[in-house]
């Protein structure tokens, strides 16, 4: 059975007097999660230089590996160690690739909408065709550069055959896409990805 990766977005509020401690605390949590099977990456941003709101994101391969991390003793200890300066205010989950396309600001918009009793506060993920374009824009140049490099610099690459070519390429390029390139592309394309969809004109 195929399982979709799960991305968890968390909004936390940090005591402004404990920024240094909070930074170390966040990195410690990432290091702990990295030891667990199924961990696919993590990151965090602050809402602004003067803001006490922090947005955190982490991803696991499926529901089971995510549960193993979230119910672990290491995570329980880590959370308890940050209670003096860190307060969790919201958690959201997305399955599949959509999780990487959620703007951190979207979590704040959800909270604001809930406070105003909006009946449909959850901001939608970008259309799948936009997601596909974003992935292609990252994967095509990466794959092209990798192919040019290995064919010109690695002796004996061509005789390896198609199977080994694909196996080696995906083993190397998938982590690069997941940890670095895809987050970079989505940040660069954020205005386009989050642009509201145009309403279709009704037939006259």
């Amino acid at each position: 059975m195929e399982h979709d990766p799960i991305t968890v977005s968390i909004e936390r509020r940090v005591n402004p007097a404990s920024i240094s401690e909070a930074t170390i605390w966040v990195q410690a949590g990432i290091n702990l999660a990295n030891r667990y099977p199924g961990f696919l990456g993590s990151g965090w941003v602050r809402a602004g230089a003067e803001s006490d709101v922090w947005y955190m994101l982490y991803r696991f391969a499926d529901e089971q590996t995510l549960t193993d991390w979230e119910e672990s003793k290491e995570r329980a200890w880590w959370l308890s160690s940050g209670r003096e300066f860190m307060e969790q205010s919201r958690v959201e989950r997305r399955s599949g690739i959509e999780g990487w396309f959620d703007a951190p600001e979207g979590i704040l918009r959800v909270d604001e909408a809930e406070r105003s009793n909006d009946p449909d506060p959850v901001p939608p993920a970008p259309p799948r065709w936009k997601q596909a374009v974003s992935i292609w824009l990252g994967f095509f140049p990466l794959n092209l550069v990798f192919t040019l490099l290995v064919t010109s610099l690695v002796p004996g690459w061509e005789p390896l055959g198609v199977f080994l070519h694909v196996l080696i390429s995906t083993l190397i390029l998938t982590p690069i896409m997941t940890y670095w390139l895809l987050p970079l592309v989505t940040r660069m394309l954020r205005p386009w990805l989050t642009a509201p969809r145009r309403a279709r004109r009704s037939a006259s």
Side-chain angles (χ1 to χ4, degrees):
M1 180 183 297
E2 184 178 353
H3 298 282
D4 286 333
I6 300 178
T7 303
V8 180
S9 301
I10 303 176
E11 177 186 316
R12 290 189 169 101
R13 294 188 178 275
V14 179
N15 184 340
S18 304
I19 297 299
S20 298
E21 294 90 335
T23 303
I24 297 172
W25 179 81
V26 169
Q27 189 57 52
I30 294 174
N31 294 340
L32 287 174
N34 193 40
R35 298 167 50 190
Y36 276 74
F39 179 70
L40 299 179
S42 180
W44 62 276
V45 293
R46 294 171 60 186
E50 305 299 327
S51 176
D52 64 346
V53 177
W54 293 34
Y55 300 110
M56 303 176 189
L57 185 83
Y58 59 87
R59 185 174 230 213
F60 278 81
D62 51 41
E63 183 72 34
Q64 185 57 56
T65 54
L66 174 62
T67 299
D68 291 343
W69 158 245
E70 291 189 331
E71 295 182 355
S72 66
K73 294 181 179 179
E74 287 85 352
R75 183 172 183 269
W77 168 83
W78 173 67
L79 289 174
S80 65
S81 67
R83 286 174 182 165
E84 293 184 0
F85 52 82
M86 185 83 65
E87 177 185 352
Q88 182 170 299
S89 55
R90 184 164 184 85
V91 178
E92 286 191 352
R93 293 190 180 193
R94 294 251 190 200
S95 61
I97 195 66
E98 290 91 342
W100 286 120
F101 294 92
D102 294 330
E105 302 86 28
I107 304 173
L108 184 59
R109 287 199 299 271
V110 169
D111 282 348
E112 292 173 344
E114 285 186 342
R115 285 194 291 269
S116 62
N117 297 320
D118 190 324
D120 186 22
V122 179
R128 286 190 179 273
W129 71 269
K130 286 190 175 184
Q131 299 177 31
V133 170
S134 302
I135 295 170
W136 181 85
L137 287 174
F139 187 71
F140 173 72
L142 177 64
N143 192 37
L144 178 62
V145 170
F146 177 82
T147 302
L148 292 174
L149 287 176
V150 295
T151 53
S152 60
L153 299 178
V154 179
W157 174 257
E158 291 298 334
L160 290 178
V162 174
F163 178 81
L164 287 178
H165 284 178
V166 175
L167 176 64
I168 295 172
S169 299
T170 53
L171 285 174
I172 295 175
L173 299 184
T174 298
I176 296 175
M177 278 291 296
T178 301
Y179 289 104
W180 296 290
L181 198 53
L182 184 55
L184 174 63
V185 170
T186 55
R187 284 197 300 270
M188 294 175 63
L189 298 179
R190 181 70 65 195
W192 177 67
L193 288 169
T194 57
R197 303 183 188 185
R198 293 182 180 178
R200 294 183 179 179
R201 295 181 180 179
S202 57
S204 56

